[in-house]
Amino acid sequence: MTATTPYPHDPHAPHSEVPGRIMAREMAEQPAVLRRILDKGAPAIRQVAQDIAARTPRFVLLTARGTSDNAALYAKYLLEVRVGFPCGLTSMSTTTAYGARPDLTDVLVITVSQSGGSPDLVASTRAAREAGAITLAVTNNPDSALAGVSEYHIDILAGPEKALPATKTYTASLLALYLFVEGLRGGDGAPAKVLPGLAERLLARHDEVRALAARYRFAERMVITSRGYGYPTAKEAALKLMETSYIPALSYSGADLLHGPLAMVDNVSPVIAVVTDGKGGEALEPVLDRLRGRGADLVVIGPRSEVERASAGFVLPTEDVAEEVQPILEIIPLQLLAYEVTIARGQDPDAPRALAKVTETR
């Protein structure tokens, strides 16, 4: 099995013959997409970052929905930790439904969207620009309406994504946002250079994930937890599981899990812990101790030392990988898990029921 065809069927067979063929192909494209961003997209991203840094924004607001919202949350951690900008996640209805017009003079508003087509994203970004904001769109479509109303634009260069569950556009958004934040602070983004090769190694370990999927194909509920940079990964993993396999997956910061939801944890429903190798993982350690104490069926995605203390897990190659870029790797086995659980349950991850590729909210 190779990293280019993670599902063991003919990738060129008609979609109706092979459920999940499109999602499998797009997951397999991620190393190439990451290389494309580093080789071709990085200079343009750096220039946008330098131009915006020269305007000395006061603080940052991030706007997004769905998978892109999880990418925006990752950017929030980067901006607060790496640059020291106060950041917030916007509630678009304050603008689109209630008509609020706050003074956003010299505020950087970053809107993240794969398609750049949702009306509420476009309307709120237009309103922000009219209110004095510096507006930046991060999309997979430079010709989108969102890119058109924004002052600046970053193309994540992921190429067309046809499967309904977003995979390569998520990791591409993370890398583009990381490079942008590094550009704001004058960094060169060198820690990201290892990502394409490591992503290939992770995809080549698809059989390990398939074994986990067999263990959890009949799960009625899952809890996913993390802290720090890993928290957006937990949220994105939960979203992928829910939209593909329809398993209710609840995502919590480890700190929030201890404030009440821990009571629902038992030895039946699996708990997936995303353990970032660094300060986030250290902050999660007391939570892992509590989960083990409750006899939880604990699955760890993270360093070998933590996987060996869990019921099951997947070891991430995090040695010498900067903590702030580990989320770009962490999500890959969890994308594969959502895919494999869905296949094992006899469903098609390419076409989840009741969903459309571009969700138009207002």
Side-chain angles (χ1 to χ4, degrees):
M1 186 175 300
T2 68
T4 55
T5 55
Y7 192 68
H9 290 294
D10 179 5
H12 304 294
H15 171 253
S16 59
E17 294 182 14
V18 183
R21 178 181 65 92
I22 301 174
M23 183 179 176
R25 184 183 66 219
E26 290 172 351
M27 287 190 293
E29 290 174 10
Q30 290 178 106
V33 171
L34 297 176
R35 284 195 181 92
R36 188 182 308 137
I37 296 169
L38 290 169
D39 294 342
K40 298 182 178 180
I45 295 172
R46 187 179 305 113
Q47 185 61 58
V48 168
Q50 291 173 350
D51 290 349
I52 290 176
R55 297 176 63 174
T56 59
R58 293 187 291 135
F59 59 90
V60 181
L61 292 175
L62 293 139
T63 304
R65 297 280 193 204
T67 285
S68 294
D69 199 35
N70 299 327
L73 180 59
Y74 168 71
K76 182 176 185 293
Y77 275 91
L78 288 172
L79 287 160
E80 291 181 345
V81 175
R82 304 285 291 171
V83 185
F85 275 146
C87 293
L89 300 175
T90 63
S91 299
M92 279 172 278
S93 61
T94 61
T95 298
T96 60
Y98 292 94
R101 292 295 184 267
D103 180 3
L104 297 179
T105 304
D106 297 328
V107 174
L108 173 59
V109 173
I110 303 174
T111 307
V112 186
S113 171
Q114 300 152 41
S115 69
S118 186
D120 57 350
L121 294 167
V122 175
S124 63
T125 301
R126 181 186 293 112
R129 189 170 182 180
E130 292 171 352
I134 305 163
T135 52
L136 167 65
V138 180
T139 81
N140 196 37
N141 183 1
D143 299 320
S144 63
L146 178 60
V149 300
S150 300
E151 187 175 358
Y152 298 96
H153 177 256
I154 289 174
D155 185 351
I156 65 172
L157 300 175
E161 187 173 60
K162 296 181 180 179
L164 286 178
T167 54
K168 64 178 182 175
T169 54
Y170 179 69
T171 49
S173 295
L174 296 191
L175 179 54
L177 288 163
Y178 168 75
L179 293 174
F180 170 72
V181 172
E182 285 301 288
L184 286 178
R185 61 189 297 270
D188 60 5
K193 292 180 180 179
V194 300
L195 295 175
L198 292 176
E200 285 181 340
R201 286 170 53 187
L202 292 175
L203 288 162
R205 294 166 58 194
H206 200 125
D207 285 343
E208 294 179 45
V209 179
R210 189 172 295 117
L212 278 179
R215 179 184 177 109
Y216 299 118
R217 62 179 294 191
F218 298 114
E220 296 182 358
R221 181 188 69 203
M222 290 188 182
V223 174
I224 308 177
T225 188
S226 189
R227 291 204 68 180
Y229 288 114
Y231 181 41
T233 307
K235 291 176 69 67
E236 174 62 10
L239 176 59
K240 284 292 155 286
L241 282 162
M242 287 189 287
E243 70 181 352
T244 56
S245 70
Y246 317 142
I247 296 174
L250 308 174
S251 59
Y252 294 100
S253 157
D256 288 333
L257 184 64
L258 297 184
H259 284 268
L262 184 68
M264 71 176 172
V265 173
D266 53 30
N267 61 357
V268 177
S269 299
V271 178
I272 300 175
V274 181
V275 184
T276 303
D277 193 358
K279 292 182 179 179
E282 293 170 7
L284 190 63
E285 193 59 46
V287 183
L288 300 178
D289 289 340
R290 292 286 297 276
L291 289 168
R292 284 188 286 261
R294 289 189 60 80
D297 182 6
L298 180 61
V299 183
V300 166
I301 310 296
R304 181 175 301 278
S305 59
E306 293 295 343
V307 172
E308 289 175 346
R309 300 171 62 198
S311 304
F314 186 96
V315 176
L316 288 175
T318 55
E319 301 85 358
D320 301 321
V321 178
E323 180 179 3
E324 59 269 18
V325 299
Q326 289 178 34
I328 300 170
L329 302 175
E330 291 167 349
I331 192 59
I332 291 175
L334 292 162
Q335 292 171 344
L336 296 173
L337 180 65
Y339 171 89
E340 286 293 347
V341 168
T342 304
I343 293 292
R345 290 164 71 95
Q347 295 150 199
D348 185 357
D350 283 343
R353 63 194 182 203
L355 296 181
K357 186 62 181 172
V358 179
T359 303
E360 295 190 356
T361 47
R362 296 184 183 275

